[in-house]
Amino acid sequence: MKNSFAYLMSLVFCLGILNTITGQTGRDKKNDGWISLFNGKNLDGWKVGENAHTFSIEDGAIKVEGPKAHLFYVGDVENHDFHNFEFKASVMTKPGSNSGIYIHTRYQEASWPVYGYEVQVNNSQGDWKRTGSLYDIVNVIETYVGDDEWYTEYIKVEGKRIIIKINDIVVVDYTEPENPKRDPGDRQHRVLKGGTFALQGHDPKSIVYYKDIMVKPLP
């Protein structure tokens, strides 16, 4: 009887370990290394300086509407210092709206971000540089998505290479040269040196929504 009981307990213990491992594997497979940067409820982990009212939460998304402002990720993931990564977000623009996603940038209280690259969000606003442009570095003139519809904007940085996709279509594949030429002024800092992400509030007439903001750190 004692041997049977010991065998039964051993079997239960082994099954428990197996279930734990299977559960972990399932979760890892489901998430595939992606980590959420936005909880869909509030702006915990994000910080904005001037014109903070430009950013609000609406129906589980970050709504951008108001004067020029920038919302920086300052949360715990990678201590908000990303080098190699995959990034994706669901984005929706309203007609005539302009915004952007900054990478390898740093928190600023005011003005346009000095550091890092801007990935354009603009399907119909007057600026001819359209969604997916690596702004002023590799400009996209084609419009791949329309206003009033959710689409996925994907950015990958690996080493000196930047790949941008709009709904799985590669629109930019850029490798930063060893000594990139940049315009004088703040654009001299438009290089890959590590940093965080930021969402842009461009002007009071631009209304843009962001949700499902995810990152997958790479080695």
Side-chain angles (χ1 to χ4, degrees):
M1 180 66 69
K2 289 184 179 180
N3 290 338
S4 297
F5 179 77
Y7 173 77
L8 179 61
M9 294 303 296
S10 176
L11 181 61
V12 170
F13 179 74
C14 290
L15 286 174
I17 293 177
L18 180 60
N19 287 336
T20 300
I21 294 173
T22 303
Q24 290 175 344
T25 303
R27 287 195 294 272
D28 291 343
K29 184 176 180 180
K30 180 179 179 181
N31 295 330
D32 199 24
W34 289 97
I35 304 169
S36 176
L37 300 181
F38 169 54
N39 62 21
K41 300 176 182 178
N42 54 48
L43 295 178
D44 286 355
W46 295 80
K47 185 178 181 180
V48 58
E50 65 175 356
N51 301 321
H53 63 280
T54 291
F55 300 94
S56 62
I57 306 300
E58 184 176 297
D59 296 329
I62 297 175
K63 181 181 181 180
V64 186
E65 181 182 17
K68 179 181 66 178
H70 293 84
L71 181 66
F72 294 81
Y73 177 73
V74 294
D76 294 335
V77 179
E78 296 291 296
N79 197 28
H80 57 270
D81 185 17
F82 302 90
H83 292 263
N84 296 319
F85 58 82
E86 293 179 77
F87 172 98
K88 62 182 178 180
S90 296
V91 186
M92 181 171 66
T93 59
K94 303 303 287 184
S97 295
N98 192 328
S99 183
I101 302 168
Y102 280 82
I103 61 172
H104 279 230
T105 192
R106 306 178 190 176
Y107 175 77
Q108 289 179 210
E109 282 289 331
S111 192
W112 309 103
V114 172
Y115 293 91
Y117 289 93
E118 179 189 356
V119 179
Q120 178 77 309
V121 174
N122 170 18
N123 296 314
S124 62
Q125 196 253 5
D127 190 342
W128 61 269
K129 298 159 189 171
R130 293 308 190 197
T131 291
S133 294
L134 191 62
Y135 202 85
D136 275 349
I137 305 297
V138 182
N139 294 313
V140 176
I141 63 174
E142 296 85 0
T143 302
Y144 288 91
V145 289
D147 294 315
D148 293 317
E149 64 180 69
W150 288 103
Y151 72 90
T152 299
E153 193 143 358
Y154 166 97
I155 307 161
K156 181 179 181 180
V157 175
E158 192 165 24
K160 293 294 184 179
R161 188 180 182 187
I162 303 173
I163 296 174
I164 301 170
K165 297 179 184 180
I166 304 300
N167 285 345
D168 294 326
I169 300 172
V170 176
V171 297
V172 169
D173 189 341
Y174 170 77
T175 300
E176 183 182 275
E178 186 172 341
N179 295 301
K181 294 182 180 180
R182 299 289 183 258
D183 294 337
D186 61 358
R187 293 183 181 178
Q188 66 183 304
H189 299 296
R190 195 169 294 187
V191 291
L192 295 171
K193 286 188 175 181
T196 192
F197 305 104
L199 306 179
Q200 180 187 82
H202 188 271
D203 63 84
K205 295 182 179 180
S206 293
I207 303 174
V208 179
Y209 295 86
Y210 294 91
K211 66 179 182 179
D212 304 325
I213 304 171
M214 310 284 285
V215 68
K216 181 195 290 188
L218 300 176

